Amino acid sequence: MRAVVSIILLNILLERIFVTVAIECSVYWSILTKPIRIGQDLQLECNIGDKDICPGNPRWSGGPDNQVISVGNVVYNQEKYDITNFPGKYIMTIRDIRKADLSSRYICHVKFDKFEAIIKDKDPTYSLNISQPKSLQGDLRIFANISAVPLNRTKNQHRWLRYPVHNSTKTEDLPNSEKFKENMEDDGISLTVKNLTKKDVNMTYELIYSNAKFSGDVILQLISTGSSKYEKLIKNSPIIQKVRCKTCSDVNGRNRV
């Protein structure tokens, strides 16, 4: 009988332990903005759980000045930061992101729990700068501004690759060759894709450098303007257009052949 009672008490004790662990307040933040573009906004999303489990106002602190950034919906430096508060989510927007911001530690607090990390140590993805070719048969220049971002220079090797947009399982390495010309520059690394063809578009291009990734999409789309059909090349930069008819006008009203 005593053995049965002991087993029942042990089961009750274990059940309470499991429930306590299950409802423990746990905080974690991640980078919401991908890729990161220097000079634009960056969002960090803090997962704060249910308010019954993690009561009290969530808070952000840190940054280049190691200051209190926000408490609940109150933001102390509204020129630099903004807050969006959803159930279970506490999102901070950092305006005009710079190298100093990427090298700073940010801390999300809820109740007695907190999570802190430096953005550059969270395997961030930065944006590639992609120039505008004069035509589909022209050269496409892709540039990674290494100097603009903080990097943990633990590795000297880097790697260019590409894959179809939204299909990273078909990755293709891009070694330095007549087709893919790499150039080391003062503030970064460039890759020129020579004689651009349709096989080179609708692709995500990436540079893996140290602990960071640089990424950008080159997308060709067919669009219609009235009775005319165009192809436009979208590359996170100005659009070029290639006319699909013999003689028609472009979107600016000029005749194209």
Side-chain angles (χ1 to χ4, degrees):
M1 182 66 179
R2 290 182 179 179
V4 173
V5 172
S6 298
I7 292 173
I8 293 174
L9 291 175
L10 180 60
N11 288 336
I12 293 173
L13 179 61
L14 290 174
E15 183 178 342
R16 288 182 177 179
I17 292 174
F18 291 148
V19 170
T20 302
V21 171
I23 64 174
E24 181 181 357
C25 181
S26 180
V27 179
Y28 178 82
W29 68 253
S30 58
I31 301 172
L32 201 59
T33 304
K34 296 180 181 181
I36 298 170
R37 294 180 174 86
I38 300 300
Q40 298 189 20
D41 294 350
L42 169 67
Q43 288 188 319
L44 304 181
E45 180 183 79
C46 184
N47 293 282
I48 59 178
D50 187 272
K51 65 179 180 180
D52 295 329
I53 301 174
C54 298
N57 284 325
R59 311 183 305 280
W60 279 103
S61 64
D65 299 324
N66 193 24
Q67 61 186 348
V68 176
I69 297 172
S70 68
V71 177
N73 292 323
V74 178
V75 183
Y76 294 100
N77 183 354
Q78 297 183 9
E79 291 185 0
K80 182 65 176 178
Y81 303 102
D82 192 19
I83 290 296
T84 305
N85 203 341
F86 294 109
K89 306 289 185 182
Y90 191 53
I91 300 173
M92 175 176 63
T93 300
I94 307 173
R95 296 192 174 98
D96 188 23
I97 195 75
R98 296 294 173 181
K99 192 172 185 177
D101 303 312
L102 299 170
S103 301
S104 298
R105 186 176 301 275
Y106 292 90
I107 311 167
C108 182
H109 315 250
V110 183
K111 198 178 177 181
F112 301 112
D113 199 11
K114 67 180 181 179
F115 179 83
E116 57 183 289
I118 300 172
I119 295 177
K120 73 180 181 68
D121 293 338
K122 296 279 290 177
D123 297 326
T125 299
Y126 301 106
S127 177
L128 286 169
N129 299 321
I130 303 176
S131 64
Q132 179 180 359
K134 295 181 179 180
S135 67
L136 189 61
Q137 289 75 34
D139 295 342
L140 179 71
R141 181 178 180 270
I142 304 171
F143 178 70
N145 192 346
I146 303 297
S147 65
V149 301
L151 296 170
N152 296 333
R153 299 179 182 274
T154 57
K155 298 179 181 179
N156 295 324
Q157 295 182 345
H158 60 273
R159 173 190 176 203
W160 287 98
L161 57 93
R162 72 180 183 186
Y163 50 84
V165 174
H166 307 309
N167 188 4
S168 58
T169 61
K170 297 182 178 180
T171 301
E172 173 190 3
D173 282 297
L174 305 177
N176 193 14
S177 62
E178 290 297 322
K179 175 66 177 180
F180 305 106
K181 287 287 188 180
E182 182 184 80
N183 187 34
M184 304 297 294
E185 303 183 18
D186 291 338
D187 51 354
I189 308 174
S190 67
L191 181 74
T192 300
V193 183
K194 307 290 287 185
N195 189 24
L196 195 68
T197 69
K198 287 188 178 181
K199 293 182 179 180
D200 302 316
V201 299
N202 298 327
M203 289 284 186
T204 296
Y205 286 80
E206 288 185 355
L207 170 68
I208 309 299
Y209 188 94
S210 185
N211 65 314
K213 179 193 300 181
F214 295 79
S215 180
D217 294 338
V218 178
I219 302 174
L220 189 70
Q221 289 185 339
L222 182 65
I223 61 173
S224 297
T225 304
S227 60
S228 304
K229 292 184 179 180
Y230 299 87
E231 284 177 330
K232 66 179 181 180
L233 187 61
I234 308 171
K235 341 168 258 52
N236 298 326
S237 60
I239 294 170
I240 69 165
Q241 296 180 339
K242 180 184 177 185
V243 181
R244 294 292 300 274
C245 55
K246 292 183 178 179
T247 305
C248 48
S249 299
D250 63 15
V251 292
N252 296 316
R254 297 186 296 267
N255 288 333
R256 299 285 299 274
V257 176

